[in-house]
């Protein structure tokens, strides 16, 4: 087959800056102070084999900030938890306790769902 190009055959006609411009296409993560973040706290069982977890959503901050926050929440609730897709999951139903902690830290937190 004449003129067939493989996927690895990337011919650049014109390139002004460097070789890797992946950083230019990354979506920036806004790092807002807690007072400007509207976070939602809700307990859910969906897709977790009947186990209740408290999910905190709506964060607009860096992953490092979420990691530090999840560590603090896990310690104060005495349970496990994780960060998934910019959301915090804490094992068990700790809506009220987490809401109080987030409010003390300055977040505009609300309980959502029933």
């Amino acid at each position: 087959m004449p003129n067939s190009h493989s996927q690895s055959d990337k011919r650049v006609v014109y390139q002004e800056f460097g070789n890797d411009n992946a950083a230019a296409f990354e979506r920036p993560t806004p790092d807002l102070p807690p007072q400007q973040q509207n976070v939602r706290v809700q307990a859910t069982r969906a897709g977790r084999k009947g186990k209740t977890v408290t999910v905190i959503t709506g964060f607009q901050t860096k992953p490092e900030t979420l990691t530090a926050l999840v560590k603090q929440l896990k310690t104060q609730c005495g349970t496990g938890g994780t960060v998934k897709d910019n959301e915090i999951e804490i094992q068990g139903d700790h809506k009220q306790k987490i809401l109080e902690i987030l409010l003390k830290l300055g977040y505009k937190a609300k309980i959502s769902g029933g």
Side-chain angles (χ1 to χ4, degrees):
M1 286 185 277
N3 229 2
S4 66
H5 298 288
S6 67
Q7 286 295 89
S8 63
D9 185 19
K10 294 180 181 175
R11 292 189 292 176
V12 178
V13 177
Y14 174 78
Q15 185 167 354
E16 192 170 347
F17 299 108
N19 295 333
D20 185 28
N21 52 357
F25 294 109
E26 282 181 22
R27 294 191 65 180
T29 307
D31 192 17
L32 296 176
Q35 300 79 7
Q36 294 178 14
Q37 296 189 45
N38 292 313
V39 295
R40 299 272 183 258
V41 181
Q42 88 182 82
T44 181
R45 286 189 201 163
R48 293 177 180 86
K49 299 178 185 163
K51 302 262 193 291
T52 302
V53 297
T54 306
V55 181
I56 308 141
T57 59
F59 287 105
Q60 296 181 342
T61 187
K62 291 187 229 157
E64 302 84 59
T65 311
L66 285 180
T67 307
L69 183 58
V70 78
K71 185 175 181 184
Q72 182 180 354
L73 291 173
K74 286 178 356 184
T75 305
Q76 292 189 345
C77 292
T79 185
T82 186
V83 177
K84 279 188 190 168
D85 303 327
N86 220 27
E87 297 178 352
I88 292 180
E89 293 182 3
I90 301 291
Q91 294 171 1
D93 187 352
H94 298 282
K95 284 187 301 208
Q96 206 57 49
K97 194 170 198 175
I98 289 173
L99 180 69
E100 290 169 20
I101 295 166
L102 290 173
L103 290 173
K104 279 182 194 165
L105 292 172
Y107 287 93
K108 291 195 283 184
K110 289 181 184 168
I111 290 182
S112 69

